[in-house]
Amino acid sequence: MLSSFIQYEFLRNALYTGLLIGFIGPLLGTFVVVRRLSLIADALSHVTLSGIAFGLMLDKKFGVGISPFYAGMSFSVIGSVFIEQLRRVYKAYQELAIPIILSGGVGLSVIFISMADGFNTDLFNYLFGSVTAVSRQDLWTILIVAVLVTSLIALFYKELFMLSFDEEHAVVSGIHARRIHFLFIVLTALVIAASIRIVGVLLVSALMTLPVAASIRIARGFKQAILLSIVFGEVSVISGLIFGYYFEIPPGGTIVLTSILILLVTILVKQVIQRSRTKRVKT
């Protein structure tokens, strides 16, 4: 089934991009879930949509050839900076920053989409992902993002780990929490923007949370949770790309459904293990 993905260049681009996204999405998503910021992916994905719509609007109305993909990535990074600033403003209610930015992203998206003469094929591909939409240039951009994200997480793993589980202790230990928070949210924005080509705006948050939700059910430690979430993410992405191509449907939906199936299996396995342990204790 993978022979076609090796034979044709546009499918190779989609496959390589999917493998990269299947790695960095759950990798960063583990920290997102542990820090209870799962909704941040939804907020930034809608901000990214506003950037994509802005790029399409500029092309339609003014003939400005700005790639919607890069416009969306720029908007996502800007949105992440605003989230971090609002978290400082509302120190006692930091979670307010996420719905504020999400609402702003939705509002801008509606305005820019209407100015770009409504929905079209390009916008549909960005909303739900597409196997054929990934260009070689997009692949190189996503590769750079993947290398950057992986390198920085490896470099600041200790700081991110401590801030995720005990921020007060991390600050007392001398960690510059504000800088790490800023770095973390910008990396999240880049990963979300990069994932949109394959998964789509409306489903990108699922790739960062569902594999992690499955892994934490059976993992025995944080590093094992990261490893398992990456494995689950890769399985979901590869399955979604294959089924999306052969059944001519957007891959985002099949990626999410595969992730949900994996999650249900892990929940079932966990319950079976717990019941077997309970029986052993009783006997």
Side-chain angles (χ1 to χ4, degrees):
M1 296 182 71
L2 286 173
S3 58
S4 297
F5 282 83
I6 304 300
Q7 182 179 359
Y8 301 106
E9 181 180 358
F10 73 96
L11 290 178
R12 287 200 303 270
N13 293 338
L15 177 62
Y16 298 153
T17 299
L19 291 174
L20 291 171
I21 291 171
F23 177 81
I24 60 175
L27 172 63
L28 195 62
T30 308
F31 292 95
V32 171
V33 171
V34 169
R35 299 179 71 175
R36 299 181 181 181
L37 293 172
S38 300
L39 288 178
I40 199 171
D42 284 310
L44 291 177
S45 65
H46 284 80
V47 174
T48 305
L49 175 61
S50 67
I52 292 169
F54 178 72
L56 292 172
M57 184 270 294
L58 287 180
D59 184 43
K60 286 287 183 67
K61 293 293 185 181
F62 305 104
V64 180
I66 296 178
S67 170
F69 178 62
Y70 297 113
M73 186 172 289
S74 300
F75 270 56
S76 182
V77 172
I78 294 171
S80 70
V81 174
F82 274 111
I83 286 178
E84 190 60 27
Q85 292 297 325
L86 286 171
R87 280 165 56 87
R88 296 177 190 175
V89 173
Y90 295 98
K91 293 183 178 180
Y93 306 96
Q94 293 186 357
E95 68 278 3
L96 273 176
I98 296 176
I100 289 173
I101 296 300
L102 189 151
S103 301
V106 172
L108 286 174
S109 299
V110 172
I111 292 173
F112 290 143
I113 288 172
S114 64
M115 294 177 67
D117 299 328
F119 285 88
N120 53 41
T121 304
D122 291 335
L123 188 58
F124 183 86
N125 290 336
Y126 282 110
L127 285 175
F128 301 104
S130 174
V131 176
T132 61
V134 184
S135 66
R136 178 58 62 91
Q137 187 177 1
D138 294 337
L139 172 59
W140 282 111
T141 301
I142 294 169
L143 176 60
I144 293 172
V145 171
V147 172
L148 179 65
V149 170
T150 306
S151 301
L152 290 176
I153 288 180
L155 185 61
F156 296 102
Y157 175 82
K158 179 182 177 181
E159 290 82 353
L160 287 169
F161 178 83
M162 293 182 67
L163 286 171
S164 298
F165 287 95
D166 193 343
E167 184 171 346
E168 293 183 358
H169 175 69
V171 173
V172 172
S173 301
I175 294 176
H176 296 284
R178 181 175 296 182
R179 297 177 184 176
I180 300 299
H181 284 316
F182 180 80
L183 175 66
F184 173 77
I185 200 167
V186 170
L187 291 179
T188 303
L190 290 174
V191 170
I192 290 171
S195 303
I196 280 173
R197 272 302 201 190
I198 295 295
V199 188
V201 170
L202 300 181
L203 302 172
V204 66
S205 62
L207 185 62
M208 297 188 69
T209 55
L210 290 178
V212 180
S215 68
I216 60 179
R217 292 298 302 167
I218 57 178
R220 297 183 178 180
F222 186 70
K223 290 185 177 179
Q224 191 178 62
I226 293 176
L227 179 61
L228 287 175
S229 66
I230 292 173
V231 173
F232 295 154
E234 295 286 17
V235 171
S236 300
V237 169
I238 294 173
S239 301
L241 288 174
I242 292 174
F243 286 111
Y245 173 70
Y246 284 103
F247 290 98
E248 298 182 356
I249 55 177
T254 49
I255 290 173
V256 171
L257 290 179
T258 304
S259 298
I260 292 176
L261 179 61
I262 293 173
L263 174 61
L264 293 176
V265 170
T266 55
I267 292 175
L268 180 61
V269 169
K270 184 68 173 181
Q271 290 178 345
V272 171
I273 293 174
Q274 288 178 341
R275 288 176 182 176
S276 62
R277 287 178 180 176
T278 303
K279 290 181 180 179
R280 290 178 183 176
V281 171
K282 289 182 179 181
T283 57

